[in-house]
Amino acid sequence: MPYVTAKDGAEIYYKDWGTGPAIFFSHGWPLSADMWEQQMMFFGEAGFRVIAHDRRGFGRSSQPWSGYDYDSFADDIALVLETAGVEEVALVGFSMGGGDVARYISRYKGARVTKACLTSAVTPFFMRADDNPDGAPPEIFDGIRQGLLKDRPQFLDDFNALFYGTNKNPDAVSDGILKQTLQIALMGGIKGTYDCVGAFSESDFRPDMAAFTMPTLIVHGDADQVVPIKPTAEQAHRMIPHSELKVYEGAPHALVVTHKDRYNADLLAFLRG
């Protein structure tokens, strides 16, 4: 299994499958590269090289005490791409991973990036503030942290209902997917899972948006109960004038699973366009 070692000693695991134009997938909280299995199979079979890492603190990567900030996340991705010898890549970020994409593009001035896709992403700014009135209230994130400390397994199990929208559509996904999602989430360490709540809620990516000079696809569900569309996808679309916004009617946060066929087709058309 491939690993790279970050400058602070954290070991970052990644998958690197197939040959062809490269796609790098960055996962959401509190998961790992395994959340992308349907996309990696689909695009690998379609003639792409597909790469996905486990963010530090999650999956098979190290669980350091510190380093759960977006500059470190961007540096970890840069190290994976450099080690894997990737010269040109499309970056695809889901939820928290959209912040990885934004910070990498800004911090590394778009190096290697040919196209970008923000999917159900927290960009450009998730949390409510005086100049971001449509953002999520800070007390929501305080509640998440409290839930993790009180009973992390049960909190994450309950979170699945919002993640997949099964509280509104019980048939949105199978019991097997719900069990797999919990299993992936519990592979993460509590410190990284806890600290990343602050990272994805408090990080302001509005200054990073100007770096998106490459073709950019934004995909979001209008029934997303986790990351509201108005302060994120709609705002990102306004801040990236050349971007394309696709809104999936009735889709929950985890549309890469619930709407995987449509999502894969839209992403394929974008990458080949």
Side-chain angles (χ1 to χ4, degrees):
M1 297 189 295
Y3 284 87
V4 295
T5 303
K7 59 186 178 183
D8 65 354
E11 292 190 327
I12 310 301
Y13 167 85
Y14 68 99
K15 303 179 185 184
D16 185 353
W17 300 346
T19 58
I23 311 171
F24 185 95
F25 294 95
S26 188
H27 65 83
W29 178 94
L31 304 176
S32 74
D34 290 348
M35 69 151 282
W36 291 111
E37 63 179 27
Q38 293 293 330
Q39 284 69 42
M40 293 185 74
M41 282 290 291
F42 177 86
F43 285 97
E45 291 177 341
F48 288 84
R49 180 184 180 187
V50 289
I51 305 170
H53 74 324
D54 290 353
R55 186 180 292 106
R56 57 172 58 218
F58 298 88
R60 290 138 292 205
S61 291
S62 294
Q63 298 183 9
W65 181 253
S66 60
Y68 300 105
D69 61 272
Y70 274 98
D71 286 350
S72 296
F73 301 151
D75 291 346
D76 291 344
I77 290 174
L79 182 58
V80 171
L81 294 176
E82 180 181 357
T83 302
V86 176
E87 298 297 330
E88 294 186 342
V89 66
L91 293 185
V92 180
F94 169 78
S95 193
M96 181 181 180
D100 292 348
V101 170
R103 185 56 49 85
Y104 174 88
I105 289 173
S106 174
R107 188 169 173 83
Y108 288 89
K109 298 178 172 58
R112 298 184 173 94
V113 184
T114 57
K115 293 186 176 183
C117 178
L118 301 172
T119 305
S120 303
V122 299
T123 49
F125 193 16
F126 192 5
M127 190 166 70
R128 180 178 297 169
D130 290 343
D131 60 351
N132 192 43
D134 295 318
E139 52 266 26
I140 288 179
F141 307 109
D142 292 337
I144 293 173
R145 283 183 279 249
Q146 291 168 9
L148 292 172
L149 293 179
K150 180 180 179 182
D151 188 338
R152 183 171 71 106
Q154 189 61 55
F155 178 86
L156 295 176
D157 195 22
D158 294 340
F159 181 69
N160 272 343
L162 298 177
F163 194 70
Y164 290 110
T166 53
N167 59 333
K168 295 186 176 181
N169 178 12
D171 298 323
V173 293
S174 68
D175 288 342
I177 287 176
L178 295 174
K179 291 174 182 176
Q180 181 197 37
T181 304
L182 179 60
Q183 179 266 329
I184 294 172
L186 291 177
M187 287 178 65
I190 190 170
K191 185 61 162 60
T193 303
Y194 183 93
D195 283 6
C196 281
V197 176
F200 68 67
S201 64
E202 298 170 11
S203 295
D204 186 349
F205 298 101
R206 289 175 293 187
D208 301 290
M209 294 292 100
F212 280 77
T213 58
M214 67 291 299
T216 302
L217 175 65
I218 302 169
V219 183
H220 217 103
D222 66 3
D224 191 328
Q225 302 173 75
V226 177
V227 178
I229 189 172
K230 193 170 185 179
T232 55
E234 292 181 3
Q235 181 67 7
H237 182 46
R238 286 192 289 270
M239 298 184 75
I240 307 172
H242 59 277
S243 63
E244 177 184 6
L245 172 61
K246 287 187 176 292
V247 178
Y248 288 15
E249 184 178 355
H253 188 58
L255 57 82
V256 301
V257 177
T258 61
H259 292 64
K260 68 178 185 297
D261 292 338
R262 178 180 176 185
Y263 178 74
N264 291 349
D266 284 342
L267 183 55
L268 179 64
F270 170 70
L271 295 176
R272 286 182 170 171

